[in-house]
């Protein structure tokens, strides 16, 4: 619960996601006992069916901004709402500075890329952006948004191939490269 609160607050401070007002504890005692954390945020509207090129640019800009600090780890259209006409990225529960996480059922497969990325400075942000956009591309149907994401992935690949991807291939055992999260990144 603490990570959800910290991540929502951090995303708001970075100017990405809904405005975060605070948090509290919710406890249910009737019909069973449930205790959880409630995040208090601005009200956003459903994404709807309309999507324009300006929406794609805004979403990609937000992913890039967030990537300067961390992986979102769950970028998908189900995690995009609207503030008026503007798309807003939500759901920062899996956000992490150095760990790439892949949600599977109620758990995550994760890998800490700190040792590889920290010495690379600014290149780390490009790797985070690449990882988040790559996983996002797997959930988007062909169309203008998908092609915009693929163009950005191609641009990022050129920046990352030598300093990150080749280093990854050289430092990770071959049998590990066919496992999540590596197989998607080096495919």
């Amino acid at each position: 619960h603490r990570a959800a609160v910290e991540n929502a607050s951090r995303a708001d401070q970075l100017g990405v996601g809904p405005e975060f007002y605070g948090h509290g504890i919710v406890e249910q005692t009737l019909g069973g006992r449930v205790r959880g954390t409630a995040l208090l945020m601005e009200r956003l509207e459903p994404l709807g069916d309309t999507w324009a090129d300006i929406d794609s640019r805004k979403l990609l800009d937000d992913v890039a901004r967030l990537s300067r600090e961390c992986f979102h780890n769950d970028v998908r259209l189900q995690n995009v709402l609207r503030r008026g006409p503007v798309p807003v990225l939500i759901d920062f529960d899996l956000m992490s500075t150095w760990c790439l996480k892949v949600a599977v059922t109620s758990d995550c497969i994760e890998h800490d890329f700190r040792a590889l990325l920290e010495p690379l400075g600014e290149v780390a942000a490009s790797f985070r952006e690449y990882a988040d956009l790559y996983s996002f591309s797997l959930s988007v149907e062909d169309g203008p948004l998908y092609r915009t994401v693929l163009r950005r992935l191609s641009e990022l690949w050129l920046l990352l191939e030598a300093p990150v991807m080749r280093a990854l291939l050289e430092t990770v055992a071959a049998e590990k490269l066919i496992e999540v999260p590596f197989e998607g990144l080096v495919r």
Side-chain angles (χ1 to χ4, degrees), residues 139-151:
S139 69
V140 178
E141 293 182 21
D142 187 27
L145 172 60
Y146 180 73
R147 288 189 289 281
T148 300
V149 170
L150 287 185
R151 276 193 300 276

Side-chain angles (χ1 to χ4, degrees), residues 32 35 138:
R35 182 179 165 102
L138 299 176

Side-chain angles (χ1 to χ4, degrees), residues 18-87:
E19 291 181 26
F20 178 71
Y21 304 127
H23 69 283
I25 301 296
V26 175
E27 189 167 350
Q28 173 188 329
T29 55
L30 295 174
R33 189 163 175 81
V34 177
R35 182 179 165 102
T37 301
L39 303 179
L40 306 171
M41 296 185 238
E42 75 175 298
R43 182 184 176 96
L44 299 171
E45 300 300 322
L47 186 59
D49 296 331
T50 307
W51 191 266
D53 288 342
I54 195 167
D55 295 331
S56 299
R57 286 192 298 277
K58 171 70 168 97
L59 181 59
L60 268 61
D61 286 349
D62 283 354
V63 171
R65 183 180 306 126
L66 189 63
S67 296
R68 290 184 207 130
E69 301 288 327
C70 54
F71 294 98
H72 181 280
N73 284 316
D74 199 16
V75 178
R76 52 195 173 110
L77 285 179
Q78 293 91 331
N79 288 335
V80 179
L81 295 174
R82 287 195 186 273
R83 178 185 299 125
V86 180

